Short mmCIF file of all heavy atoms in Angstrom, two decimals:
data_model
loop_
_atom_site.label_atom_id
_atom_site.label_comp_id
_atom_site.label_asym_id
_atom_site.label_seq_id
_atom_site.Cartn_x
_atom_site.Cartn_y
_atom_site.Cartn_z
N MET A 1 -15.43 -3.45 -6.07
CA MET A 1 -15.60 -2.32 -6.93
C MET A 1 -16.96 -2.47 -7.70
O MET A 1 -17.74 -1.55 -7.88
CB MET A 1 -14.45 -2.17 -7.93
CG MET A 1 -14.63 -1.09 -8.82
SD MET A 1 -14.40 0.51 -8.05
CE MET A 1 -14.07 1.54 -9.35
N VAL A 2 -17.22 -3.64 -8.23
CA VAL A 2 -18.37 -3.96 -8.97
C VAL A 2 -19.66 -3.78 -8.07
O VAL A 2 -20.62 -3.15 -8.53
CB VAL A 2 -18.42 -5.39 -9.59
CG1 VAL A 2 -19.69 -5.68 -10.28
CG2 VAL A 2 -17.25 -5.48 -10.62
N ILE A 3 -19.57 -4.32 -6.91
CA ILE A 3 -20.68 -4.15 -6.02
C ILE A 3 -20.98 -2.66 -5.66
O ILE A 3 -22.09 -2.12 -5.59
CB ILE A 3 -20.42 -4.94 -4.78
CG1 ILE A 3 -20.45 -6.39 -5.01
CG2 ILE A 3 -21.58 -4.66 -3.65
CD1 ILE A 3 -20.08 -7.33 -3.91
N ALA A 4 -19.96 -1.92 -5.47
CA ALA A 4 -20.02 -0.47 -5.17
C ALA A 4 -20.65 0.30 -6.36
O ALA A 4 -21.47 1.08 -6.17
CB ALA A 4 -18.69 0.14 -4.82
N LEU A 5 -20.25 -0.04 -7.59
CA LEU A 5 -20.87 0.59 -8.73
C LEU A 5 -22.27 0.20 -8.92
O LEU A 5 -23.14 0.95 -9.40
CB LEU A 5 -20.00 0.40 -9.96
CG LEU A 5 -18.60 1.09 -9.94
CD1 LEU A 5 -17.87 0.68 -11.21
CD2 LEU A 5 -18.86 2.58 -9.86
N LEU A 6 -22.62 -1.08 -8.65
CA LEU A 6 -24.06 -1.55 -8.80
C LEU A 6 -24.84 -0.86 -7.85
O LEU A 6 -25.94 -0.38 -8.09
CB LEU A 6 -24.09 -3.10 -8.63
CG LEU A 6 -23.63 -3.92 -9.78
CD1 LEU A 6 -23.64 -5.37 -9.37
CD2 LEU A 6 -24.52 -3.67 -10.99
N GLY A 7 -24.38 -0.69 -6.58
CA GLY A 7 -25.09 0.14 -5.58
C GLY A 7 -25.23 1.59 -5.95
O GLY A 7 -26.32 2.13 -5.72
N ALA A 8 -24.19 2.08 -6.50
CA ALA A 8 -24.32 3.48 -6.96
C ALA A 8 -25.41 3.59 -8.10
O ALA A 8 -26.19 4.60 -8.13
CB ALA A 8 -23.01 4.03 -7.54
N ALA A 9 -25.38 2.64 -9.00
CA ALA A 9 -26.35 2.75 -10.12
C ALA A 9 -27.84 2.56 -9.56
O ALA A 9 -28.69 3.29 -10.00
CB ALA A 9 -26.10 1.60 -11.10
N MET A 10 -28.02 1.71 -8.63
CA MET A 10 -29.36 1.55 -8.02
C MET A 10 -29.68 2.78 -7.28
O MET A 10 -30.85 3.25 -7.23
CB MET A 10 -29.37 0.28 -7.09
CG MET A 10 -29.26 -1.01 -7.84
SD MET A 10 -29.22 -2.53 -6.90
CE MET A 10 -29.48 -2.15 -5.23
N GLY A 11 -28.72 3.48 -6.61
CA GLY A 11 -28.98 4.72 -5.94
C GLY A 11 -29.34 5.84 -6.84
O GLY A 11 -30.26 6.61 -6.54
N VAL A 12 -28.79 5.85 -7.98
CA VAL A 12 -29.02 6.87 -9.03
C VAL A 12 -30.47 6.79 -9.56
O VAL A 12 -31.23 7.63 -9.69
CB VAL A 12 -28.07 6.88 -10.15
CG1 VAL A 12 -28.51 7.77 -11.37
CG2 VAL A 12 -26.63 7.43 -9.70
N VAL A 13 -30.87 5.50 -9.83
CA VAL A 13 -32.16 5.18 -10.32
C VAL A 13 -33.17 5.48 -9.24
O VAL A 13 -34.21 6.13 -9.54
CB VAL A 13 -32.25 3.73 -10.77
CG1 VAL A 13 -33.66 3.31 -11.06
CG2 VAL A 13 -31.37 3.48 -11.95
N ALA A 14 -32.97 5.13 -8.06
CA ALA A 14 -33.85 5.39 -6.98
C ALA A 14 -33.99 6.91 -6.70
O ALA A 14 -35.09 7.44 -6.49
CB ALA A 14 -33.43 4.68 -5.64
N SER A 15 -32.90 7.61 -6.76
CA SER A 15 -32.99 9.10 -6.44
C SER A 15 -33.69 9.81 -7.61
O SER A 15 -34.40 10.75 -7.40
CB SER A 15 -31.57 9.64 -6.24
OG SER A 15 -30.79 9.52 -7.40
N TYR A 16 -33.47 9.33 -8.85
CA TYR A 16 -34.15 9.93 -9.99
C TYR A 16 -35.63 9.78 -9.80
O TYR A 16 -36.46 10.69 -10.11
CB TYR A 16 -33.64 9.31 -11.26
CG TYR A 16 -34.30 9.99 -12.51
CD1 TYR A 16 -33.91 11.22 -12.95
CD2 TYR A 16 -35.32 9.34 -13.17
CE1 TYR A 16 -34.49 11.83 -14.05
CE2 TYR A 16 -35.94 9.92 -14.33
CZ TYR A 16 -35.52 11.12 -14.72
OH TYR A 16 -36.12 11.69 -15.76
N GLY A 17 -36.04 8.49 -9.44
CA GLY A 17 -37.46 8.32 -9.23
C GLY A 17 -38.04 9.07 -8.23
O GLY A 17 -39.17 9.63 -8.25
N PHE A 18 -37.33 9.29 -7.08
CA PHE A 18 -37.77 10.09 -5.94
C PHE A 18 -37.91 11.56 -6.36
O PHE A 18 -38.85 12.21 -6.01
CB PHE A 18 -36.80 9.92 -4.82
CG PHE A 18 -37.21 10.78 -3.58
CD1 PHE A 18 -38.36 10.33 -2.87
CD2 PHE A 18 -36.50 11.90 -3.20
CE1 PHE A 18 -38.65 11.01 -1.73
CE2 PHE A 18 -36.90 12.60 -2.07
CZ PHE A 18 -37.97 12.18 -1.34
N VAL A 19 -36.99 12.09 -7.16
CA VAL A 19 -37.05 13.46 -7.53
C VAL A 19 -38.22 13.60 -8.46
O VAL A 19 -38.98 14.63 -8.34
CB VAL A 19 -35.74 13.83 -8.29
CG1 VAL A 19 -35.89 15.13 -9.05
CG2 VAL A 19 -34.58 13.96 -7.32
N GLN A 20 -38.46 12.69 -9.34
CA GLN A 20 -39.72 12.74 -10.25
C GLN A 20 -40.93 12.79 -9.39
O GLN A 20 -41.84 13.58 -9.65
CB GLN A 20 -39.75 11.63 -11.23
CG GLN A 20 -38.58 11.70 -12.21
CD GLN A 20 -38.57 12.99 -13.06
OE1 GLN A 20 -39.59 13.43 -13.53
NE2 GLN A 20 -37.33 13.57 -13.25
N MET A 21 -40.97 11.93 -8.39
CA MET A 21 -42.15 11.87 -7.55
C MET A 21 -42.34 13.23 -6.78
O MET A 21 -43.46 13.70 -6.61
CB MET A 21 -42.09 10.64 -6.60
CG MET A 21 -43.36 10.48 -5.67
SD MET A 21 -43.15 9.09 -4.56
CE MET A 21 -41.82 9.62 -3.57
N LEU A 22 -41.25 13.72 -6.29
CA LEU A 22 -41.33 14.92 -5.49
C LEU A 22 -41.73 16.10 -6.45
O LEU A 22 -42.42 16.98 -5.95
CB LEU A 22 -39.98 15.26 -4.95
CG LEU A 22 -39.88 16.36 -3.91
CD1 LEU A 22 -40.71 16.10 -2.77
CD2 LEU A 22 -38.34 16.57 -3.51
N GLU A 23 -41.32 16.09 -7.69
CA GLU A 23 -41.68 17.17 -8.54
C GLU A 23 -43.24 17.17 -8.84
O GLU A 23 -43.92 18.16 -9.07
CB GLU A 23 -40.92 17.15 -9.86
CG GLU A 23 -39.52 17.63 -9.72
CD GLU A 23 -38.74 17.56 -11.07
OE1 GLU A 23 -39.35 17.12 -12.07
OE2 GLU A 23 -37.61 18.16 -11.04
N LYS A 24 -43.87 15.93 -8.85
CA LYS A 24 -45.23 15.80 -9.00
C LYS A 24 -46.02 16.23 -7.78
O LYS A 24 -47.07 16.79 -7.89
CB LYS A 24 -45.64 14.35 -9.37
CG LYS A 24 -45.21 13.99 -10.78
CD LYS A 24 -45.62 12.60 -11.08
CE LYS A 24 -45.06 12.21 -12.51
NZ LYS A 24 -45.50 10.89 -12.91
N VAL A 25 -45.51 16.00 -6.60
CA VAL A 25 -46.19 16.36 -5.39
C VAL A 25 -45.92 17.91 -5.14
O VAL A 25 -46.92 18.56 -4.80
CB VAL A 25 -45.52 15.65 -4.18
CG1 VAL A 25 -46.05 16.11 -2.88
CG2 VAL A 25 -45.86 14.12 -4.37
N ALA A 26 -44.84 18.42 -5.39
CA ALA A 26 -44.57 19.92 -5.21
C ALA A 26 -44.04 20.49 -6.49
O ALA A 26 -42.83 20.65 -6.61
CB ALA A 26 -43.59 20.11 -4.02
N PRO A 27 -44.88 20.79 -7.36
CA PRO A 27 -44.45 21.25 -8.74
C PRO A 27 -43.80 22.64 -8.70
O PRO A 27 -43.04 22.96 -9.66
CB PRO A 27 -45.68 21.30 -9.59
CG PRO A 27 -46.78 21.33 -8.64
CD PRO A 27 -46.37 20.73 -7.39
N THR A 28 -43.97 23.36 -7.66
CA THR A 28 -43.39 24.81 -7.58
C THR A 28 -41.99 24.65 -6.91
O THR A 28 -41.34 25.70 -6.65
CB THR A 28 -44.28 25.65 -6.80
OG1 THR A 28 -44.53 25.21 -5.54
CG2 THR A 28 -45.62 25.90 -7.46
N ALA A 29 -41.53 23.48 -6.52
CA ALA A 29 -40.20 23.40 -5.82
C ALA A 29 -39.13 23.79 -6.75
O ALA A 29 -39.27 23.76 -8.03
CB ALA A 29 -40.02 21.90 -5.38
N ASN A 30 -38.02 24.18 -6.17
CA ASN A 30 -36.84 24.60 -7.04
C ASN A 30 -36.35 23.46 -7.78
O ASN A 30 -35.89 22.44 -7.20
CB ASN A 30 -35.84 25.22 -6.02
CG ASN A 30 -34.65 25.83 -6.86
OD1 ASN A 30 -34.72 26.02 -8.02
ND2 ASN A 30 -33.65 26.08 -6.07
N ARG A 31 -36.28 23.61 -9.09
CA ARG A 31 -35.72 22.54 -9.87
C ARG A 31 -34.24 22.90 -10.24
O ARG A 31 -33.90 23.81 -10.90
CB ARG A 31 -36.47 22.41 -11.20
CG ARG A 31 -37.95 21.99 -11.05
CD ARG A 31 -38.58 21.86 -12.33
NE ARG A 31 -39.97 21.36 -12.04
CZ ARG A 31 -40.83 21.05 -12.98
NH1 ARG A 31 -40.47 21.05 -14.22
NH2 ARG A 31 -42.03 20.77 -12.68
N GLY A 32 -33.36 22.01 -9.64
CA GLY A 32 -31.96 22.21 -9.87
C GLY A 32 -31.38 21.19 -10.84
O GLY A 32 -32.09 20.36 -11.36
N HIS A 33 -30.14 21.28 -11.05
CA HIS A 33 -29.48 20.28 -11.91
C HIS A 33 -28.98 19.15 -10.98
O HIS A 33 -28.09 19.27 -10.15
CB HIS A 33 -28.26 20.90 -12.60
CG HIS A 33 -28.71 21.98 -13.50
ND1 HIS A 33 -29.29 21.66 -14.75
CD2 HIS A 33 -28.69 23.37 -13.56
CE1 HIS A 33 -29.62 22.85 -15.41
NE2 HIS A 33 -29.22 23.77 -14.68
N TYR A 34 -29.54 17.94 -11.17
CA TYR A 34 -29.20 16.88 -10.33
C TYR A 34 -28.10 15.96 -10.86
O TYR A 34 -27.63 15.12 -10.14
CB TYR A 34 -30.47 16.00 -10.17
CG TYR A 34 -31.62 16.73 -9.59
CD1 TYR A 34 -32.73 17.07 -10.34
CD2 TYR A 34 -31.54 17.22 -8.32
CE1 TYR A 34 -33.77 17.84 -9.86
CE2 TYR A 34 -32.64 17.92 -7.76
CZ TYR A 34 -33.71 18.23 -8.54
OH TYR A 34 -34.73 18.92 -8.06
N ALA A 35 -27.66 16.20 -12.09
CA ALA A 35 -26.58 15.37 -12.70
C ALA A 35 -25.22 15.62 -11.92
O ALA A 35 -24.57 14.67 -11.75
CB ALA A 35 -26.41 15.75 -14.15
N ASP A 36 -24.93 16.77 -11.54
CA ASP A 36 -23.75 16.99 -10.80
C ASP A 36 -23.71 16.25 -9.47
O ASP A 36 -22.77 15.62 -9.10
CB ASP A 36 -23.54 18.53 -10.49
CG ASP A 36 -23.34 19.29 -11.68
OD1 ASP A 36 -22.86 18.70 -12.79
OD2 ASP A 36 -23.49 20.57 -11.67
N GLY A 37 -24.85 16.26 -8.76
CA GLY A 37 -24.95 15.53 -7.45
C GLY A 37 -24.86 14.05 -7.69
O GLY A 37 -24.25 13.35 -6.90
N MET A 38 -25.53 13.54 -8.70
CA MET A 38 -25.43 12.16 -8.97
C MET A 38 -24.04 11.68 -9.42
O MET A 38 -23.54 10.58 -9.01
CB MET A 38 -26.40 11.71 -10.20
CG MET A 38 -27.84 11.82 -9.67
SD MET A 38 -28.88 11.24 -10.96
CE MET A 38 -30.49 11.63 -10.28
N ALA A 39 -23.29 12.53 -10.15
CA ALA A 39 -21.82 12.22 -10.47
C ALA A 39 -21.03 12.18 -9.25
O ALA A 39 -20.13 11.28 -9.16
CB ALA A 39 -21.37 13.20 -11.48
N VAL A 40 -21.33 13.13 -8.37
CA VAL A 40 -20.43 13.11 -7.05
C VAL A 40 -20.81 11.76 -6.23
O VAL A 40 -19.91 11.26 -5.74
CB VAL A 40 -20.79 14.40 -6.28
CG1 VAL A 40 -20.17 14.26 -4.88
CG2 VAL A 40 -20.15 15.59 -7.04
N ALA A 41 -22.06 11.43 -6.17
CA ALA A 41 -22.48 10.23 -5.47
C ALA A 41 -21.83 9.01 -6.09
O ALA A 41 -21.32 8.10 -5.33
CB ALA A 41 -24.00 10.13 -5.47
N VAL A 42 -21.79 8.87 -7.43
CA VAL A 42 -21.22 7.68 -8.07
C VAL A 42 -19.66 7.67 -7.79
O VAL A 42 -19.09 6.58 -7.54
CB VAL A 42 -21.52 7.76 -9.55
CG1 VAL A 42 -20.74 6.61 -10.26
CG2 VAL A 42 -23.02 7.41 -9.71
N ALA A 43 -19.04 8.84 -7.93
CA ALA A 43 -17.59 8.86 -7.64
C ALA A 43 -17.29 8.46 -6.17
O ALA A 43 -16.31 7.79 -5.92
CB ALA A 43 -17.04 10.27 -7.94
N PHE A 44 -18.01 9.00 -5.26
CA PHE A 44 -17.91 8.74 -3.85
C PHE A 44 -18.05 7.22 -3.57
O PHE A 44 -17.34 6.50 -2.94
CB PHE A 44 -18.89 9.49 -2.99
CG PHE A 44 -18.60 9.31 -1.57
CD1 PHE A 44 -17.57 9.93 -0.86
CD2 PHE A 44 -19.55 8.52 -0.79
CE1 PHE A 44 -17.42 9.72 0.47
CE2 PHE A 44 -19.32 8.32 0.51
CZ PHE A 44 -18.27 8.93 1.18
N SER A 45 -19.13 6.58 -4.23
CA SER A 45 -19.32 5.26 -4.06
C SER A 45 -18.24 4.38 -4.65
O SER A 45 -17.81 3.34 -4.10
CB SER A 45 -20.65 4.74 -4.83
OG SER A 45 -20.86 3.46 -4.76
N ALA A 46 -17.66 4.81 -5.79
CA ALA A 46 -16.50 4.06 -6.34
C ALA A 46 -15.31 4.21 -5.45
O ALA A 46 -14.53 3.17 -5.23
CB ALA A 46 -16.22 4.61 -7.74
N ALA A 47 -15.08 5.32 -4.94
CA ALA A 47 -13.93 5.56 -3.96
C ALA A 47 -14.11 4.67 -2.71
O ALA A 47 -13.12 4.07 -2.36
CB ALA A 47 -13.87 7.02 -3.57
N VAL A 48 -15.28 4.64 -2.24
CA VAL A 48 -15.52 3.75 -1.04
C VAL A 48 -15.28 2.24 -1.36
O VAL A 48 -14.68 1.54 -0.64
CB VAL A 48 -16.88 3.96 -0.50
CG1 VAL A 48 -17.36 2.89 0.54
CG2 VAL A 48 -17.04 5.36 0.12
N GLY A 49 -15.67 1.89 -2.58
CA GLY A 49 -15.45 0.53 -2.93
C GLY A 49 -14.00 0.20 -3.19
O GLY A 49 -13.53 -0.84 -2.78
N VAL A 50 -13.28 1.13 -3.72
CA VAL A 50 -11.80 0.90 -3.94
C VAL A 50 -11.17 0.80 -2.53
O VAL A 50 -10.30 -0.11 -2.33
CB VAL A 50 -11.19 2.04 -4.72
CG1 VAL A 50 -9.68 2.02 -4.70
CG2 VAL A 50 -11.60 1.82 -6.17
N ILE A 51 -11.49 1.77 -1.66
CA ILE A 51 -10.82 1.75 -0.31
C ILE A 51 -11.21 0.42 0.45
O ILE A 51 -10.39 -0.12 1.11
CB ILE A 51 -11.21 2.96 0.42
CG1 ILE A 51 -10.51 4.21 -0.20
CG2 ILE A 51 -10.76 2.96 1.89
CD1 ILE A 51 -10.95 5.57 0.27
N ALA A 52 -12.43 0.09 0.38
CA ALA A 52 -12.96 -1.08 1.08
C ALA A 52 -12.30 -2.38 0.57
O ALA A 52 -12.13 -3.28 1.41
CB ALA A 52 -14.47 -1.20 1.00
N GLY A 53 -11.91 -2.42 -0.67
CA GLY A 53 -11.20 -3.56 -1.23
C GLY A 53 -9.78 -3.55 -1.05
O GLY A 53 -9.04 -4.53 -0.97
N LEU A 54 -9.23 -2.27 -0.88
CA LEU A 54 -7.73 -2.07 -0.87
C LEU A 54 -7.18 -2.46 0.51
O LEU A 54 -6.16 -3.16 0.63
CB LEU A 54 -7.38 -0.65 -1.23
CG LEU A 54 -5.94 -0.29 -1.31
CD1 LEU A 54 -5.36 -1.04 -2.55
CD2 LEU A 54 -5.76 1.20 -1.52
N PHE A 55 -7.82 -2.13 1.58
CA PHE A 55 -7.28 -2.42 2.91
C PHE A 55 -7.20 -3.92 3.19
O PHE A 55 -6.08 -4.39 3.60
CB PHE A 55 -8.14 -1.72 3.96
CG PHE A 55 -7.80 -0.29 4.12
CD1 PHE A 55 -8.87 0.65 4.22
CD2 PHE A 55 -6.47 0.24 4.05
CE1 PHE A 55 -8.55 2.01 4.33
CE2 PHE A 55 -6.20 1.52 4.11
CZ PHE A 55 -7.29 2.45 4.35
N PRO A 56 -8.18 -4.76 2.89
CA PRO A 56 -7.98 -6.17 3.15
C PRO A 56 -7.04 -6.80 2.21
O PRO A 56 -6.21 -7.74 2.64
CB PRO A 56 -9.40 -6.73 2.90
CG PRO A 56 -10.36 -5.64 2.99
CD PRO A 56 -9.60 -4.40 2.61
N ALA A 57 -6.87 -6.29 1.03
CA ALA A 57 -5.84 -6.80 0.01
C ALA A 57 -4.50 -6.49 0.50
O ALA A 57 -3.59 -7.30 0.42
CB ALA A 57 -6.09 -6.22 -1.34
N LEU A 58 -4.29 -5.27 1.07
CA LEU A 58 -2.94 -4.97 1.54
C LEU A 58 -2.53 -5.85 2.76
O LEU A 58 -1.43 -6.21 2.91
CB LEU A 58 -2.81 -3.44 1.83
CG LEU A 58 -2.88 -2.52 0.67
CD1 LEU A 58 -2.91 -1.02 1.04
CD2 LEU A 58 -1.66 -2.79 -0.22
N LYS A 59 -3.52 -5.96 3.64
CA LYS A 59 -3.29 -6.80 4.81
C LYS A 59 -3.04 -8.27 4.39
O LYS A 59 -2.09 -8.83 4.97
CB LYS A 59 -4.44 -6.73 5.76
CG LYS A 59 -4.30 -7.35 7.06
CD LYS A 59 -5.46 -7.20 7.97
CE LYS A 59 -5.33 -7.88 9.29
NZ LYS A 59 -6.47 -7.75 10.16
N ALA A 60 -3.72 -8.80 3.47
CA ALA A 60 -3.50 -10.17 3.03
C ALA A 60 -2.15 -10.25 2.29
O ALA A 60 -1.54 -11.34 2.34
CB ALA A 60 -4.65 -10.60 2.12
N ALA A 61 -1.74 -9.26 1.62
CA ALA A 61 -0.46 -9.24 0.94
C ALA A 61 0.71 -9.39 1.83
O ALA A 61 1.77 -9.90 1.41
CB ALA A 61 -0.37 -8.08 0.01
N GLN A 62 0.52 -8.93 3.03
CA GLN A 62 1.65 -8.99 4.01
C GLN A 62 1.81 -10.27 4.73
O GLN A 62 2.81 -10.55 5.39
CB GLN A 62 1.45 -7.86 5.05
CG GLN A 62 1.62 -6.50 4.44
CD GLN A 62 1.29 -5.37 5.49
OE1 GLN A 62 0.84 -5.67 6.55
NE2 GLN A 62 1.54 -4.09 5.03
N LEU A 63 0.82 -11.16 4.67
CA LEU A 63 0.81 -12.47 5.35
C LEU A 63 1.60 -13.55 4.55
O LEU A 63 1.69 -13.45 3.28
CB LEU A 63 -0.59 -12.91 5.50
CG LEU A 63 -1.48 -12.16 6.44
CD1 LEU A 63 -2.93 -12.81 6.44
CD2 LEU A 63 -1.03 -12.15 7.79
N ASP A 64 2.18 -14.47 5.20
CA ASP A 64 2.70 -15.59 4.59
C ASP A 64 1.66 -16.48 4.12
O ASP A 64 0.72 -16.78 4.82
CB ASP A 64 3.67 -16.30 5.67
CG ASP A 64 4.34 -17.56 5.05
OD1 ASP A 64 4.76 -17.50 3.87
OD2 ASP A 64 4.48 -18.53 5.85
N PRO A 65 1.68 -16.93 2.87
CA PRO A 65 0.59 -17.74 2.30
C PRO A 65 0.30 -19.02 3.14
O PRO A 65 -0.85 -19.38 3.33
CB PRO A 65 1.04 -18.08 0.92
CG PRO A 65 2.03 -17.05 0.51
CD PRO A 65 2.69 -16.68 1.82
N ILE A 66 1.32 -19.65 3.60
CA ILE A 66 1.15 -20.89 4.41
C ILE A 66 0.39 -20.53 5.63
O ILE A 66 -0.52 -21.24 6.06
CB ILE A 66 2.48 -21.62 4.67
CG1 ILE A 66 3.21 -21.91 3.32
CG2 ILE A 66 2.25 -22.86 5.52
CD1 ILE A 66 2.32 -22.87 2.36
N GLN A 67 0.83 -19.51 6.37
CA GLN A 67 0.20 -19.16 7.60
C GLN A 67 -1.24 -18.73 7.41
O GLN A 67 -2.14 -19.02 8.24
CB GLN A 67 0.94 -18.03 8.29
CG GLN A 67 2.32 -18.47 8.79
CD GLN A 67 2.26 -19.49 9.88
OE1 GLN A 67 1.35 -19.54 10.66
NE2 GLN A 67 3.23 -20.38 9.89
N ALA A 68 -1.47 -18.07 6.32
CA ALA A 68 -2.89 -17.48 6.06
C ALA A 68 -3.78 -18.66 5.83
O ALA A 68 -4.94 -18.62 6.23
CB ALA A 68 -2.78 -16.54 4.88
N LEU A 69 -3.28 -19.65 5.07
CA LEU A 69 -4.13 -20.82 4.75
C LEU A 69 -4.38 -21.73 5.96
O LEU A 69 -5.36 -22.38 6.11
CB LEU A 69 -3.55 -21.61 3.53
CG LEU A 69 -3.65 -20.90 2.24
CD1 LEU A 69 -2.90 -21.76 1.23
CD2 LEU A 69 -5.04 -20.76 1.74
N ARG A 70 -3.46 -21.73 6.84
CA ARG A 70 -3.48 -22.55 8.06
C ARG A 70 -4.73 -22.15 8.92
O ARG A 70 -5.47 -22.95 9.55
CB ARG A 70 -2.24 -22.52 8.85
CG ARG A 70 -2.32 -23.35 10.13
CD ARG A 70 -1.09 -23.34 10.86
NE ARG A 70 0.05 -23.92 9.99
CZ ARG A 70 1.30 -23.85 10.33
NH1 ARG A 70 1.70 -23.21 11.46
NH2 ARG A 70 2.14 -24.39 9.54
N TYR A 71 -4.96 -20.85 9.08
CA TYR A 71 -5.92 -20.33 9.99
C TYR A 71 -7.22 -20.02 9.26
O TYR A 71 -8.17 -19.48 9.80
CB TYR A 71 -5.42 -19.04 10.65
CG TYR A 71 -4.29 -19.32 11.57
CD1 TYR A 71 -3.04 -18.93 11.21
CD2 TYR A 71 -4.43 -20.11 12.71
CE1 TYR A 71 -1.94 -19.19 12.14
CE2 TYR A 71 -3.45 -20.45 13.60
CZ TYR A 71 -2.12 -19.94 13.22
OH TYR A 71 -1.07 -20.18 14.08
N GLU A 72 -7.31 -20.40 8.01
CA GLU A 72 -8.62 -20.10 7.30
C GLU A 72 -9.70 -21.06 7.62
O GLU A 72 -9.73 -22.20 7.86
CB GLU A 72 -8.40 -20.07 5.82
CG GLU A 72 -9.63 -19.61 5.05
CD GLU A 72 -9.34 -19.52 3.56
OE1 GLU A 72 -8.33 -18.75 3.25
OE2 GLU A 72 -9.99 -20.15 2.83
#
């Protein structure tokens, strides 16, 4: 989850910089509200992080600890 949120934060910073650069190159471009899109991106990143962590955890929870350590 932490890695997913760090990646989301880096993506928000990078996209904000890209949008600023794009506005300097094309100042007549349509200026929209980017906060909604960024919020959706962060929420999606958090959801992917939770799902990516949940599936291996559920699979590991079903294993016998002795058997799991034997094959590690």
